[in-house]
Amino acid sequence: NAGVTQTPKFQVLKTGQSMTLQCAQDMNHEYMSWYRQDPGMGLRLIHYSVGAGITDQGEVPNGYNVSRSTTEDFPLRLLSAAPSQTSVYFCASSAFNPILGTEAFFGQGTRLTVV
Amino acid sequence: GENVEQHPSTLSVQEGDSAVIKCTYSDSASNYFPWYKQELGKGPQLIIDIRSNVGEKKDQRIAVTLNKTAKHFSLHITETQPEDSAVYFCAASKTSGSRLTFGEGTQLTVNP
């Protein structure tokens, strides 16, 4: 089972460049999200989606855009990369249950460096 | 919004000893508390979770306790092994896996 697949695994960008981090899941999960992980700060939510066509902002959305045209894919776009966006990015998916918690499955991460 | 604090940030134990990691949360509406293990170069992986209608849950060497009144929950690992060495994250959520708020992480090192 593929689970959650992120590409690329590593990326170096110059300040001001744009790029898209790809995320795909094959578990038919409604809920998908993007987190960034920085040393000593845990994982912080950037954007999330509860289904195709529906997205919302998380804790640190500035400088990032998302869209959800299909259940499977949830790309994250950096509009104009800044050194402060140097981080490890994780995509996650989970089945949506309005009452009970469900397991979130994470991808392997994308390590992004902005120079 | 929710705020989750995790302690300690680093923990070193001898193989066979127990390890305890503690988290506190701020939003009394949170009802789902998962724990994740992250090995070097990999994404976090769920190891155990607990919901607010349960006070304790155990899975082999791993247990989690929840005190809703005090708004804190803890991870207990018994008979630690070197392969338990990793970063552990606690998290809290109001519903399903949505909007997880993570603690800062604990680097656990188990010395042979």
Side-chain angles (χ1 to χ4, degrees):
Chain A
N1 291 337
V4 179
T5 302
Q6 289 183 236
T7 55
K9 288 185 170 54
F10 302 93
Q11 183 70 49
V12 178
L13 286 179
K14 293 182 179 179
T15 297
Q17 286 185 318
S18 62
M19 79 159 295
T20 298
L21 279 62
Q22 301 292 343
C23 176
Q25 53 96 3
D26 62 0
M27 296 172 282
N28 202 33
H29 285 162
E30 300 92 340
Y31 185 84
M32 296 186 73
S33 53
W34 277 100
Y35 293 85
R36 61 177 287 171
Q37 182 175 24
D38 302 293
M41 301 185 75
L43 290 90
R44 292 181 293 168
L45 183 65
I46 304 171
H47 285 286
Y48 67 98
S49 169
V50 298
I54 305 169
T55 63
D56 206 347
Q57 296 181 349
E59 182 185 356
V60 287
N62 292 340
Y64 308 96
N65 272 356
V66 293
S67 60
R68 183 95 179 269
S69 57
T70 67
T71 299
E72 295 78 17
D73 300 299
F74 191 44
L76 178 71
R77 298 183 186 85
L78 279 69
L79 308 173
S80 178
S84 60
Q85 293 179 304
T86 294
S87 187
V88 181
Y89 292 85
F90 288 99
C91 178
S93 76
S94 62
F96 182 73
N97 186 315
I99 300 173
L100 298 175
T102 60
E103 179 177 359
F105 294 83
F106 285 82
Q108 293 290 303
T110 295
R111 183 173 295 275
L112 176 68
T113 302
V114 182
V115 297
Chain B
E2 175 66 277
N3 182 51
V4 177
E5 294 188 357
Q6 182 172 346
H7 300 282
S9 56
T10 61
L11 180 59
S12 182
V13 300
Q14 289 298 122
E15 182 176 0
D17 287 349
S18 295
V20 179
I21 302 170
K22 298 182 179 181
C23 289
T24 60
Y25 62 99
S26 61
D27 191 338
S28 56
S30 290
N31 58 13
Y32 177 62
F33 307 93
W35 285 89
Y36 287 86
K37 176 182 181 183
Q38 185 180 26
E39 297 177 339
L40 195 62
K42 296 185 178 181
Q45 188 168 15
L46 182 74
I47 55 171
I48 195 167
D49 57 14
I50 191 167
R51 297 180 175 89
S52 60
N53 58 343
V54 175
E56 183 174 359
K57 183 177 179 180
K58 189 174 182 179
D59 183 3
Q60 299 184 342
R61 297 186 297 108
I62 295 173
V64 58
T65 58
L66 171 64
N67 184 325
K68 285 186 62 180
T69 302
K71 289 190 282 191
H72 65 69
F73 56 112
S74 300
L75 177 71
H76 304 253
I77 305 174
T78 59
E79 301 173 18
T80 55
Q81 302 167 3
E83 51 265 38
D84 293 329
S85 296
V87 178
Y88 290 81
F89 291 98
C90 63
S93 171
K94 292 181 185 180
T95 58
S96 77
S98 63
R99 295 207 65 120
L100 285 170
T101 301
F102 284 84
E104 300 89 345
T106 297
Q107 173 69 62
L108 173 65
T109 303
V110 180
N111 302 300

